[in-house]
Amino acid sequence: MDLGAVCAEVHALIGRLPHLRHPDDVEFENGLYFFYEHAERSAHAPDGRIVRIGNHPRSQNRLKDRLWDHYSANKNFSVFRKFLGGALLRRADPRHPCLQPRPGKGHWEKQGAPPCPECEILELRVTELLERHFRFRCLAIEERIFRNDLEKN
């Protein structure tokens, strides 16, 4: 199996869906979402590489709300926000205090940890990054277990 060809086919199929900028642009309540970062490309995805696939795995009719979780100014609502903020912090300083004592254990990346004053500023930067440099596509999938299996695979 040529994984590059499979990946190219997935990108081509998902690429038929419209690009969206805001959760309210989604016209259905259940499905998967595919985030793209501006200028992220690959040989098999010249129109944009998928950088995040997500779902609303535990409940029905929550796709738009789940997308809004990513745009909210609260890293504890979205692992995606934590990843983006962690990347911004690491770019500035791999030993940034908000990432200490080690990867995944600093208060920025720890689930439920309250933000410090620097994290509050970072929350704004993550939201701005999402609004300016990301777009997404959504695929309607009504059945929760099927959605979860597709996201996992």
Side-chain angles (χ1 to χ4, degrees):
M1 176 187 299
D2 179 358
L3 294 180
V6 171
C7 194
E9 182 65 23
V10 168
H11 275 88
L13 290 170
I14 300 301
R16 295 178 185 162
L17 301 169
H19 281 137
L20 305 171
R21 290 246 178 233
H22 299 285
D24 288 339
D25 296 339
V26 180
E27 297 179 354
F28 43 87
E29 297 297 326
N30 295 296
L32 292 176
Y33 55 85
F34 305 85
F35 268 100
Y36 297 77
E37 184 176 5
H38 179 70
E40 276 287 323
R41 307 276 186 262
S42 70
H44 58 269
D47 293 331
R49 185 175 69 84
I50 298 168
V51 297
R52 173 84 177 166
I53 299 171
N55 181 12
H56 48 110
R58 293 184 216 59
S59 60
Q60 285 292 97
N61 304 322
R62 197 173 180 286
L63 176 60
K64 291 179 192 181
D65 291 338
R66 183 65 189 130
L67 287 162
W68 275 118
D69 289 345
H70 298 310
Y71 287 89
S72 74
N74 189 333
K75 58 130 178 127
N76 291 315
F77 290 173
S78 166
V79 170
F80 189 35
R81 284 188 75 82
K82 286 187 237 187
F83 290 160
L84 292 172
L88 291 172
L89 291 173
R90 282 181 183 80
R91 183 184 298 160
D93 177 3
R95 292 176 299 282
H96 194 283
C98 296
L99 298 171
Q100 296 306 316
R102 65 185 182 276
K105 300 297 180 180
H107 65 266
W108 173 262
E109 295 173 311
K110 192 171 181 181
Q111 181 63 31
C116 72
E118 284 189 57
C119 290
E120 290 175 10
I121 294 166
L122 182 60
E123 290 282 20
L124 297 174
R125 289 182 59 209
V126 170
T127 299
E128 181 180 309
L129 179 71
L130 279 165
E131 289 174 351
R132 288 188 180 184
H133 298 283
F134 284 79
R135 62 195 191 285
F136 59 91
R137 290 180 162 123
C138 291
L139 177 64
I141 302 173
E142 195 62 34
E143 210 280 314
R144 185 181 64 83
I145 293 172
F146 182 53
R147 247 189 351 257
N148 291 343
D149 287 344
L150 282 175
E151 179 191 18
K152 180 175 64 177
N153 291 317

Short mmCIF file of all heavy atoms in Angstrom, two decimals, residues 18 42 59 64 74 78 123 133 137 143:
data_model
loop_
_atom_site.label_atom_id
_atom_site.label_comp_id
_atom_site.label_asym_id
_atom_site.label_seq_id
_atom_site.Cartn_x
_atom_site.Cartn_y
_atom_site.Cartn_z
N PRO A 18 -16.38 22.71 1.21
CA PRO A 18 -16.05 24.15 1.27
C PRO A 18 -15.18 24.49 2.48
O PRO A 18 -15.30 23.86 3.54
CB PRO A 18 -17.42 24.82 1.40
CG PRO A 18 -18.32 23.78 1.97
CD PRO A 18 -17.80 22.46 1.48
N SER A 42 2.07 19.95 1.38
CA SER A 42 2.89 18.75 1.21
C SER A 42 2.81 18.35 -0.25
O SER A 42 1.96 18.85 -0.99
CB SER A 42 2.41 17.62 2.13
OG SER A 42 1.17 17.14 1.69
N SER A 59 -20.98 13.24 22.48
CA SER A 59 -22.37 13.69 22.42
C SER A 59 -22.80 14.00 21.00
O SER A 59 -21.99 14.23 20.13
CB SER A 59 -22.56 14.92 23.30
OG SER A 59 -21.72 15.96 22.86
N LYS A 64 -20.81 22.37 16.18
CA LYS A 64 -20.53 23.81 16.21
C LYS A 64 -19.96 24.22 17.57
O LYS A 64 -19.01 25.00 17.64
CB LYS A 64 -21.78 24.61 15.92
CG LYS A 64 -22.27 24.50 14.52
CD LYS A 64 -23.53 25.33 14.33
CE LYS A 64 -24.19 25.02 13.02
NZ LYS A 64 -25.39 25.83 12.81
N ASN A 74 -9.86 29.74 26.20
CA ASN A 74 -9.65 28.86 27.35
C ASN A 74 -8.99 27.57 26.88
O ASN A 74 -9.65 26.71 26.29
CB ASN A 74 -10.97 28.57 28.05
CG ASN A 74 -10.77 27.83 29.35
OD1 ASN A 74 -9.80 27.12 29.54
ND2 ASN A 74 -11.71 28.01 30.26
N SER A 78 -9.82 22.85 24.98
CA SER A 78 -9.37 22.34 23.70
C SER A 78 -7.91 21.91 23.74
O SER A 78 -7.02 22.72 23.95
CB SER A 78 -9.54 23.46 22.65
OG SER A 78 -8.84 23.18 21.48
N GLU A 123 -3.43 33.06 25.45
CA GLU A 123 -4.77 32.68 24.99
C GLU A 123 -5.23 33.60 23.86
O GLU A 123 -5.78 33.14 22.86
CB GLU A 123 -5.78 32.77 26.14
CG GLU A 123 -5.62 31.72 27.21
CD GLU A 123 -6.16 30.35 26.86
OE1 GLU A 123 -6.35 30.04 25.66
OE2 GLU A 123 -6.39 29.57 27.80
N HIS A 133 -4.96 32.42 10.56
CA HIS A 133 -4.14 31.48 9.79
C HIS A 133 -4.74 30.09 9.61
O HIS A 133 -4.11 29.24 9.00
CB HIS A 133 -2.76 31.36 10.43
CG HIS A 133 -2.01 32.64 10.44
ND1 HIS A 133 -1.39 33.15 9.32
CD2 HIS A 133 -1.80 33.54 11.43
CE1 HIS A 133 -0.82 34.30 9.62
NE2 HIS A 133 -1.06 34.57 10.89
N ARG A 137 -12.74 22.48 7.26
CA ARG A 137 -13.81 21.87 6.47
C ARG A 137 -14.53 20.91 7.40
O ARG A 137 -13.94 20.38 8.34
CB ARG A 137 -13.24 21.10 5.29
CG ARG A 137 -12.64 21.99 4.22
CD ARG A 137 -12.09 21.15 3.07
NE ARG A 137 -11.91 21.96 1.90
CZ ARG A 137 -10.74 22.09 1.26
NH1 ARG A 137 -9.66 21.46 1.69
NH2 ARG A 137 -10.67 22.85 0.19
N GLU A 143 -23.90 9.46 12.77
CA GLU A 143 -23.74 8.37 13.74
C GLU A 143 -22.46 8.53 14.55
O GLU A 143 -21.36 8.54 14.00
CB GLU A 143 -23.77 7.04 12.98
CG GLU A 143 -24.31 5.88 13.76
CD GLU A 143 -23.28 5.29 14.71
OE1 GLU A 143 -22.12 5.06 14.31
OE2 GLU A 143 -23.65 5.05 15.87
#
